[in-house]
Amino acid sequence: EFQEAFEDAELVLRQDRNNIKAHEIAARSLLFLDRAAEALQRCRKVQLAAAADLQQSDEDATDRHMLARTFKMLENHDEKVRQIDELLKDTGCLQKDLPEVEALLARIRELVERLADAQLRSPLGQRLRLAKVQVLLLPLPGRSGQEPAARTSWTQEALREAKGACEARPEDDDALAWQARCLLRLGRRHEARE
Protein backbone atom coordinates (compact mmCIF):
# COMPACT_ATOMS: atom_id res chain seq x y z
CA GLU A 1 0.00 0.00 0.00
CA PHE A 2 2.65 2.52 1.02
CA GLN A 3 4.95 1.55 -1.83
CA GLU A 4 2.10 2.15 -4.27
CA ALA A 5 1.29 5.52 -2.68
CA PHE A 6 4.96 6.50 -2.94
CA GLU A 7 5.13 5.45 -6.58
CA ASP A 8 1.91 7.35 -7.37
CA ALA A 9 3.30 10.48 -5.72
CA GLU A 10 6.54 10.11 -7.67
CA LEU A 11 4.52 9.82 -10.88
CA VAL A 12 2.74 13.09 -10.08
CA LEU A 13 6.07 14.72 -9.24
CA ARG A 14 7.52 13.75 -12.63
CA GLN A 15 4.78 15.93 -14.13
CA ASP A 16 4.99 18.73 -11.54
CA ARG A 17 8.04 18.93 -9.24
CA ASN A 18 6.35 21.78 -7.34
CA ASN A 19 3.34 19.73 -6.25
CA ILE A 20 3.71 20.06 -2.48
CA LYS A 21 0.84 17.69 -1.76
CA ALA A 22 2.58 14.93 -3.75
CA HIS A 23 5.81 15.58 -1.83
CA GLU A 24 3.88 15.29 1.45
CA ILE A 25 2.30 11.99 0.38
CA ALA A 26 5.68 10.68 -0.73
CA ALA A 27 7.23 11.68 2.62
CA ARG A 28 4.49 9.97 4.64
CA SER A 29 4.81 6.87 2.48
CA LEU A 30 8.56 6.79 3.00
CA LEU A 31 8.05 6.96 6.76
CA PHE A 32 5.89 3.85 6.75
CA LEU A 33 8.30 2.14 4.37
CA ASP A 34 10.80 2.63 7.24
CA ARG A 35 12.78 5.18 5.25
CA ALA A 36 12.44 8.13 7.64
CA ALA A 37 15.82 9.70 6.84
CA GLU A 38 14.89 9.91 3.16
CA ALA A 39 11.48 11.36 4.06
CA LEU A 40 13.05 14.02 6.28
CA GLN A 41 15.54 14.99 3.58
CA ARG A 42 12.72 15.33 1.06
CA CYS A 43 10.69 17.54 3.39
CA ARG A 44 13.68 19.81 4.07
CA LYS A 45 14.33 20.32 0.36
CA VAL A 46 10.69 21.02 -0.44
CA GLN A 47 10.30 23.42 2.48
CA LEU A 48 13.38 25.37 1.38
CA ALA A 49 12.14 25.54 -2.20
CA ALA A 50 8.63 26.56 -1.10
CA ALA A 51 10.01 29.27 1.19
CA ALA A 52 11.90 30.75 -1.77
CA ASP A 53 8.74 30.80 -3.91
CA LEU A 54 7.17 34.25 -3.46
CA GLN A 55 4.09 33.59 -5.61
CA GLN A 56 1.89 31.27 -3.59
CA SER A 57 -1.82 30.65 -3.74
CA ASP A 58 -3.99 29.89 -0.71
CA GLU A 59 -3.98 26.23 -1.76
CA ASP A 60 -0.17 26.27 -1.81
CA ALA A 61 -0.14 27.74 1.68
CA THR A 62 -2.46 24.97 2.91
CA ASP A 63 -0.29 22.32 1.29
CA ARG A 64 2.86 23.89 2.77
CA HIS A 65 1.20 23.82 6.19
CA MET A 66 0.42 20.09 5.74
CA LEU A 67 4.01 19.47 4.68
CA ALA A 68 5.29 21.35 7.74
CA ARG A 69 3.07 19.21 10.01
CA THR A 70 4.30 16.05 8.30
CA PHE A 71 7.90 17.21 8.69
CA LYS A 72 7.39 17.85 12.41
CA MET A 73 5.75 14.43 12.82
CA LEU A 74 8.62 12.79 10.91
CA GLU A 75 11.24 14.47 13.08
CA ASN A 76 9.45 13.47 16.27
CA HIS A 77 8.92 9.91 15.11
CA ASP A 78 12.45 9.50 13.80
CA GLU A 79 13.91 10.75 17.08
CA LYS A 80 11.82 8.31 19.13
CA VAL A 81 12.70 5.35 16.89
CA ARG A 82 16.41 6.23 17.05
CA GLN A 83 16.23 6.40 20.87
CA ILE A 84 14.54 2.99 20.97
CA ASP A 85 17.17 1.52 18.64
CA GLU A 86 19.98 2.91 20.80
CA LEU A 87 18.50 1.48 23.99
CA LEU A 88 17.93 -1.92 22.38
CA LYS A 89 21.60 -2.13 21.42
CA ASP A 90 22.50 -2.53 25.10
CA THR A 91 20.09 -5.24 26.20
CA GLY A 92 22.50 -6.47 28.91
CA CYS A 93 21.73 -3.42 31.01
CA LEU A 94 18.02 -3.56 30.25
CA GLN A 95 17.70 -7.20 31.29
CA LYS A 96 18.37 -6.17 34.87
CA ASP A 97 16.79 -2.71 35.06
CA LEU A 98 13.01 -3.14 35.14
CA PRO A 99 12.18 0.61 35.40
CA GLU A 100 14.25 1.29 32.26
CA VAL A 101 12.46 -1.50 30.43
CA GLU A 102 9.06 -0.18 31.54
CA ALA A 103 9.96 3.32 30.30
CA LEU A 104 11.14 1.95 26.96
CA LEU A 105 8.01 -0.17 26.65
CA ALA A 106 5.84 2.90 27.29
CA ARG A 107 7.58 4.73 24.41
CA ILE A 108 7.08 1.83 22.03
CA ARG A 109 3.45 1.32 23.05
CA GLU A 110 2.79 5.00 22.39
CA LEU A 111 4.17 4.70 18.86
CA VAL A 112 2.44 1.40 18.08
CA GLU A 113 -0.95 2.47 19.46
CA ARG A 114 -1.00 5.51 17.16
CA LEU A 115 -0.72 3.33 14.06
CA ALA A 116 -3.78 2.41 12.03
CA ASP A 117 -4.17 -1.19 10.85
CA ALA A 118 -2.58 -0.50 7.45
CA GLN A 119 0.31 1.27 9.13
CA LEU A 120 0.85 -1.69 11.47
CA ARG A 121 1.35 -3.88 8.40
CA SER A 122 3.93 -1.49 6.95
CA PRO A 123 7.68 -2.11 7.29
CA LEU A 124 7.83 0.54 10.02
CA GLY A 125 4.86 -0.99 11.84
CA GLN A 126 6.49 -4.40 11.67
CA ARG A 127 9.76 -3.03 13.01
CA LEU A 128 7.99 -1.33 15.94
CA ARG A 129 5.95 -4.42 16.71
CA LEU A 130 9.03 -6.61 16.86
CA ALA A 131 10.83 -4.03 19.01
CA LYS A 132 7.86 -4.17 21.36
CA VAL A 133 8.08 -7.97 21.49
CA GLN A 134 11.81 -7.76 22.20
CA VAL A 135 11.28 -5.30 25.04
CA LEU A 136 8.44 -7.34 26.54
CA LEU A 137 10.80 -10.32 26.71
CA LEU A 138 13.77 -8.37 28.13
CA PRO A 139 13.24 -8.72 31.88
CA LEU A 140 15.06 -11.94 32.75
CA PRO A 141 13.70 -14.25 35.43
CA GLY A 142 15.67 -13.88 38.64
CA ARG A 143 17.66 -10.86 37.43
CA SER A 144 15.16 -8.07 36.81
CA GLY A 145 13.00 -8.23 39.92
CA GLN A 146 9.89 -8.67 37.79
CA GLU A 147 7.18 -10.73 39.46
CA PRO A 148 6.40 -14.06 37.75
CA ALA A 149 2.76 -13.08 37.12
CA ALA A 150 3.86 -9.83 35.47
CA ARG A 151 6.44 -11.69 33.37
CA THR A 152 3.76 -14.12 32.19
CA SER A 153 1.44 -11.24 31.33
CA TRP A 154 4.19 -9.45 29.40
CA THR A 155 5.08 -12.64 27.56
CA GLN A 156 1.45 -13.20 26.57
CA GLU A 157 1.29 -9.64 25.26
CA ALA A 158 4.53 -10.26 23.36
CA LEU A 159 3.06 -13.43 21.86
CA ARG A 160 -0.07 -11.56 20.68
CA GLU A 161 2.12 -8.90 19.10
CA ALA A 162 4.41 -11.49 17.47
CA LYS A 163 1.43 -13.39 16.10
CA GLY A 164 0.09 -10.14 14.65
CA ALA A 165 3.46 -9.49 13.05
CA CYS A 166 3.49 -13.02 11.58
CA GLU A 167 -0.03 -12.59 10.21
CA ALA A 168 0.85 -9.21 8.69
CA ARG A 169 4.03 -10.55 7.07
CA PRO A 170 4.11 -14.37 6.97
CA GLU A 171 7.46 -14.33 5.14
CA ASP A 172 9.18 -12.42 7.96
CA ASP A 173 11.63 -14.85 9.58
CA ASP A 174 12.34 -12.43 12.43
CA ALA A 175 8.66 -12.34 13.36
CA LEU A 176 8.55 -16.14 13.38
CA ALA A 177 11.68 -16.31 15.55
CA TRP A 178 10.24 -13.83 18.08
CA GLN A 179 6.97 -15.78 18.15
CA ALA A 180 8.94 -18.95 18.92
CA ARG A 181 10.81 -17.17 21.72
CA CYS A 182 7.49 -16.11 23.25
CA LEU A 183 6.18 -19.65 23.09
CA LEU A 184 9.38 -20.96 24.69
CA ARG A 185 9.12 -18.43 27.51
CA LEU A 186 5.56 -19.69 28.12
CA GLY A 187 6.78 -23.31 28.22
CA ARG A 188 5.07 -24.22 24.94
CA ARG A 189 8.09 -25.86 23.29
CA HIS A 190 6.10 -28.11 20.98
CA GLU A 191 4.34 -25.12 19.43
CA ALA A 192 7.61 -23.20 19.19
CA ARG A 193 9.12 -25.94 17.03
CA GLU A 194 6.31 -25.79 14.48
Side-chain angles (χ1 to χ4, degrees), residues 98-168:
L98 188 57
E100 278 283 328
V101 174
E102 289 170 334
L104 180 56
L105 182 58
R107 285 188 219 165
I108 294 173
R109 280 181 173 148
E110 177 190 348
L111 289 172
V112 171
E113 288 169 3
R114 289 183 180 181
L115 299 179
D117 286 342
Q119 295 166 339
L120 272 174
R121 291 188 303 271
S122 73
L124 175 67
Q126 189 79 347
R127 178 177 166 198
L128 290 173
R129 276 181 136 168
L130 295 179
K132 182 179 175 185
V133 170
Q134 183 178 357
V135 170
L136 285 163
L137 295 178
L138 272 175
L140 290 181
R143 294 177 79 188
S144 66
Q146 187 180 41
E147 295 294 323
R151 186 171 30 267
T152 299
S153 175
W154 280 33
T155 304
Q156 289 169 339
E157 182 181 350
L159 179 58
R160 286 190 298 274
E161 205 65 58
K163 281 184 177 182
C166 288
E167 289 169 6

Side-chain angles (χ1 to χ4, degrees), residues 133 136-137 151-152 154-164 166 174-194:
V133 170
L136 285 163
L137 295 178
R151 186 171 30 267
T152 299
W154 280 33
T155 304
Q156 289 169 339
E157 182 181 350
L159 179 58
R160 286 190 298 274
E161 205 65 58
K163 281 184 177 182
C166 288
D174 288 336
L176 291 169
W178 282 109
Q179 180 176 323
R181 285 183 181 189
C182 294
L183 290 165
L184 286 171
R185 170 84 56 101
L186 291 170
R188 295 161 57 181
R189 287 175 175 74
H190 179 71
E191 291 176 68
R193 290 181 188 164
E194 293 175 0

Side-chain angles (χ1 to χ4, degrees), residues 21-123:
K21 190 177 287 187
H23 281 291
E24 193 267 337
I25 290 169
R28 278 184 182 265
S29 298
L30 286 169
L31 170 66
F32 293 107
L33 291 169
D34 205 12
R35 295 163 55 187
E38 191 177 339
L40 283 166
Q41 182 180 22
R42 176 182 294 261
C43 283
R44 281 187 193 102
K45 281 183 184 177
V46 174
Q47 282 185 318
L48 288 172
D53 184 9
L54 299 176
Q55 298 177 341
Q56 300 169 20
S57 67
D58 289 342
E59 185 178 333
D60 288 341
T62 301
D63 289 346
R64 280 188 28 243
H65 178 71
M66 280 291 292
L67 183 67
R69 283 183 45 207
T70 297
F71 182 65
K72 191 79 165 160
M73 184 260 310
L74 282 166
E75 282 184 320
N76 184 20
H77 192 85
D78 187 53
E79 178 65 24
K80 287 180 181 178
V81 170
R82 275 194 276 118
Q83 288 172 355
I84 290 166
D85 287 345
E86 278 301 310
L87 287 169
L88 285 175
K89 285 181 183 176
D90 186 18
T91 58
C93 172
L94 290 173
Q95 290 171 340
K96 300 173 200 160
D97 192 352
L98 188 57
E100 278 283 328
V101 174
E102 289 170 334
L104 180 56
L105 182 58
R107 285 188 219 165
I108 294 173
R109 280 181 173 148
E110 177 190 348
L111 289 172
V112 171
E113 288 169 3
R114 289 183 180 181
L115 299 179
D117 286 342
Q119 295 166 339
L120 272 174
R121 291 188 303 271
S122 73

